[in-house]
Amino acid sequence: MYTYALYIHLHVPPPAPSLRPSPVFSNMAIHTIVAAALALYCLVPTAAPTPTPPVHDIAACLVSNGVKNFSLPASPSFNPLLLSSLRYLRFVSPSIGKPSAIILPSSKTDLQRAVLCAVNTSLAIRVRAGGHSYEGLSYTSENGVPFVVVDVSNLNKIRVDASTATIWAESGATLGELYHAVGQASKTLAFPGGTCSTLGLGGFVSGGGFGLIARKHGIAADNVLDATLIDASGRALTRDTMDADVFWAIRGGGGGSWGVVYSWKLQLVTVPDTITVFDMDRRGPADDIAGLVHKWQSVGPNLPDEFYVSTRIYFTSKDTNGGNLTMSFTGHVLAPKREALAVLNKAYPELRLAESELSEVSWVEAAAKFALLKSVADLTSRGVGIGEYAKRKSDYVQAPISRQDMVKIMQYMTMAPTEGSIQLNPYGAAMARIGSGERPFPHRAGFLYSIQYAVDWKAAENGRAGEFMGWLREFYKFMEPYVSKNPRGAYVNYVDLDLGTNNWTSVTGGTLSAADSVSHAASWGRRYFLNNFDRLVRAKSKIDPGNVFNNAQSIPPLH
């Protein structure tokens, strides 16, 4: 990490409680002293002091406030740190702007001071937990706007209280770390999260957080009891001290708009000590797979609450698939194997499910299995350095697609120029019994399932990335008649910049007026949030009227 070691040892007094630079030294004095100390240490002449520090002298502000764990672009640690949780390698390109600093707070106070230093040095703020944003929104900015990455991965403490079935977890914890902690505390408690164990808790919950037991217990955001939010003024607000609209907004209204959630208080849910899981494939020509998918539409969203059966249809390059597709099923049933098999064989006999394909495991063992890990202990691994070349999009389906049309869709997939998939996640049950306005996440009653589209390619094929993403966009266009309308829905945790961007040209804004910015953002905001978009704008206007927290698809304030 990059630090002013000599300066820290000789000159820095205890950080001021105001979270501002210490009154002993002004920002100008700090900059001058640091430069002089470093010059003396390196035995080179000092430059003449400048009247004011550089506008982006984030290092001086951090050092003067006792924040030691950060890296600047000149440091050897900078690129490895930037890449450490950069999951989508499209954003490694030299043409993508890099942050002015990467800050890794180690405490709530560090986090508050990092926010204030970014504000005081006119840098946009990007908050990164797991680095899984499909469009790299946690480590990029629009139009060359200078920015700093506040990486909260060191803020990963977790405290489970099995007696009250609650948990306090810092936002930098991964889902895997949370699952592991819950599994250690109880065999019959769980948290409704997703399958990817390296997802950062902060981003996942902020976008809603759909997972394997959502049909029984709702999404992650439905199970938030409290939170600590650091706002643009550095205040630490809880449910009791933040506006009700703001507490509503942070539970599913997307990350990067409201502040930085330091920690969450979450409600754990009760599960059997043994559950049933399966993960199986069926392969065949497009017509046969279409029949299985068509039937799944009437099964997946209508099973009992305890049943979650999703499907993913994989395709490969048209030159290699021979007209065939692979259909994978993920089953997660909060019931014994015998009951699971009886219900599924009656509801979905076409699947030809065999008892040998089902396993009985604990909930935390299931979490490890579906994260593709070898053991429960591996849930705490962050998988540093793992990334892929990919593009993702999403949709919602409100009425079953006919078998004839499903054949057309499957045949379209066999013509792909690269490998990829569509993932169908069933809704219904508890998802449908929660009102669409109770959380920002609105896709409740009337939504049968979500679709996630994906194309993937290898580094050697990167020259064809435009072709591959272009095909996916054409496929998405082809699907328009079959999916939700007015508006065509999308899931904010599957963020997709094809839907539009704010086009910010400065740290806190752009060329449009506030009213025009809101109207512009509604074109994708209503697709993510439907009628909840207007309340999100109100919340943003209350908590961050200066638009300090923003990204390419953040909620703009009406001021």
Side-chain angles (χ1 to χ4, degrees):
M1 298 301 169
Y2 185 98
T3 58
Y4 294 118
L6 178 67
Y7 172 72
I8 293 169
H9 178 70
L10 295 178
H11 296 283
V12 176
S18 65
L19 308 184
R20 301 290 180 176
S22 166
V24 177
F25 300 114
S26 66
N27 278 349
M28 179 179 74
I30 290 165
H31 177 72
T32 304
I33 291 170
V34 168
L38 288 174
L40 178 63
Y41 184 68
C42 297
L43 300 180
V44 295
T46 62
T50 54
T52 57
V55 68
H56 302 314
D57 195 354
I58 186 73
C61 185
L62 293 170
V63 168
S64 68
N65 282 284
V67 180
K68 301 177 182 179
N69 202 12
F70 63 93
S71 185
L72 302 182
S75 169
S77 68
F78 183 83
N79 280 331
L81 182 57
L82 181 63
L83 296 174
S84 64
S85 62
L86 195 157
R87 309 289 176 174
Y88 292 94
L89 300 178
R90 289 192 286 135
F91 307 106
V92 175
S93 167
S95 64
I96 303 293
K98 304 301 185 288
S100 298
I102 303 172
I103 310 169
L104 291 98
S106 57
S107 66
K108 181 175 70 174
T109 299
D110 268 5
L111 179 58
Q112 292 171 293
R113 290 171 175 170
V115 167
L116 287 173
C117 280
V119 172
N120 291 343
T121 55
S122 301
L123 289 166
I125 299 170
R126 298 292 180 267
V127 183
R128 184 172 75 173
H132 284 272
S133 169
Y134 282 168
E135 299 284 10
L137 297 188
S138 58
Y139 44 83
T140 61
S141 73
E142 296 181 279
N143 299 315
V145 172
F147 70 105
V148 60
V149 168
V150 178
D151 188 314
V152 297
S153 58
N154 286 345
L155 298 174
N156 65 341
K157 296 184 183 65
I158 298 169
R159 186 174 73 250
V160 180
D161 186 344
S163 66
T164 60
T166 59
I167 185 169
W168 269 106
E170 293 178 330
S171 277
T174 64
L175 290 185
E177 289 170 337
L178 186 148
Y179 295 161
H180 187 267
V182 174
Q184 292 291 104
S186 171
K187 300 297 184 184
T188 57
L189 291 176
F191 181 70
T195 57
C196 180
S197 63
T198 57
L199 283 172
L201 183 66
F204 178 74
V205 178
S206 294
F210 179 83
L212 297 177
I213 55 176
R215 300 186 71 254
K216 176 67 175 178
H217 295 291
I219 59 175
D222 295 328
N223 292 277
V224 173
L225 300 174
D226 204 345
T228 302
L229 177 72
I230 310 303
D231 73 357
S233 299
R235 297 179 300 171
L237 305 174
T238 65
R239 181 175 188 169
D240 289 338
T241 55
M242 72 178 81
D243 184 90
D245 281 342
V246 175
F247 183 64
W248 173 85
I250 64 175
R251 293 175 292 162
S257 291
W258 326 103
V260 187
V261 176
Y262 161 68
S263 63
W264 303 90
K265 184 179 183 182
L266 306 170
Q267 179 69 63
L268 299 177
V269 300
T270 302
V271 295
D273 56 5
T274 301
I275 67 172
T276 301
V277 298
F278 60 89
D279 189 6
M280 47 172 282
D281 293 341
R282 298 290 185 261
R283 180 171 171 79
D287 286 9
D288 291 352
I289 296 298
L292 284 174
V293 181
H294 177 255
K295 179 59 181 287
W296 176 89
Q297 294 178 110
S298 63
V299 175
N302 295 304
L303 287 166
D305 294 13
E306 292 77 15
F307 285 69
Y308 173 92
V309 179
S310 68
T311 184
R312 176 177 285 183
I313 302 93
Y314 292 91
F315 52 83
T316 56
S317 167
K318 60 185 177 183
D319 298 325
T320 62
N321 61 39
N324 290 319
L325 299 168
T326 298
M327 188 174 181
S328 173
F329 294 89
T330 295
H332 188 283
V333 184
L334 301 176
K337 180 196 294 189
R338 182 179 300 177
E339 179 182 342
L341 188 64
V343 170
L344 289 170
N345 278 341
K346 181 178 180 180
Y348 202 179
E350 297 85 351
L351 195 55
R352 303 188 307 279
L353 192 62
E355 184 176 356
S356 60
E357 293 176 304
L358 279 66
S359 302
E360 290 186 330
V361 297
S362 68
W363 169 80
V364 74
E365 288 171 336
K369 171 183 171 61
F370 291 123
L372 304 180
L373 300 173
K374 294 180 180 179
S375 70
V376 168
D378 290 336
L379 284 167
T380 60
S381 171
R382 287 179 171 254
V384 174
I386 297 172
E388 60 183 330
Y389 292 97
K391 169 67 180 176
R392 307 282 192 258
K393 299 179 75 66
S394 66
D395 254 326
Y396 283 96
V397 174
Q398 293 180 285
I401 301 171
S402 72
R403 192 185 191 289
Q404 180 180 4
D405 287 332
M406 195 64 77
V407 170
K408 295 177 184 177
I409 294 168
M410 296 301 111
Q411 289 175 340
Y412 196 107
M413 292 167 62
T414 66
M415 301 304 294
T418 186
E419 62 185 30
S421 66
I422 62 170
Q423 169 89 26
L424 312 182
N425 291 324
Y427 279 29
M431 293 283 292
R433 294 193 291 271
I434 298 172
S436 62
E438 289 189 35
R439 310 282 182 269
F441 179 91
H443 307 289
R444 308 286 189 166
F447 291 87
L448 296 178
Y449 58 93
S450 67
I451 305 177
Q452 179 178 190
Y453 309 87
V455 288
D456 305 90
W457 60 94
K458 300 175 177 63
E461 301 173 302
N462 216 24
R464 300 178 65 191
E467 174 193 352
F468 299 151
M469 291 190 288
W471 180 86
L472 187 70
R473 291 174 179 127
E474 287 298 317
F475 182 28
Y476 179 78
K477 183 178 180 180
F478 172 81
M479 290 293 294
E480 186 171 3
Y482 312 118
V483 296
S484 61
K485 299 172 177 63
N486 302 317
R488 184 176 183 176
Y491 179 28
V492 71
N493 265 356
Y494 301 159
V495 61
D496 180 7
L497 295 190
D498 291 350
L499 305 181
T501 68
N502 284 307
N503 198 31
W504 303 125
T505 55
S506 68
V507 171
T508 58
T511 57
L512 297 175
S513 68
D516 288 340
S517 291
V518 170
S519 177
H520 177 66
S523 64
W524 67 85
R526 293 195 190 283
R527 297 178 70 164
Y528 291 137
F529 305 114
L530 305 184
N531 293 331
N532 293 333
F533 176 73
D534 292 339
R535 187 177 177 187
L536 289 172
V537 171
R538 292 201 304 272
K540 172 70 170 182
S541 303
K542 292 176 179 179
I543 191 65
D544 186 24
N547 202 30
V548 167
F549 293 97
N550 63 71
N551 59 48
Q553 284 190 346
S554 59
I555 302 294
L558 192 56
H559 295 302

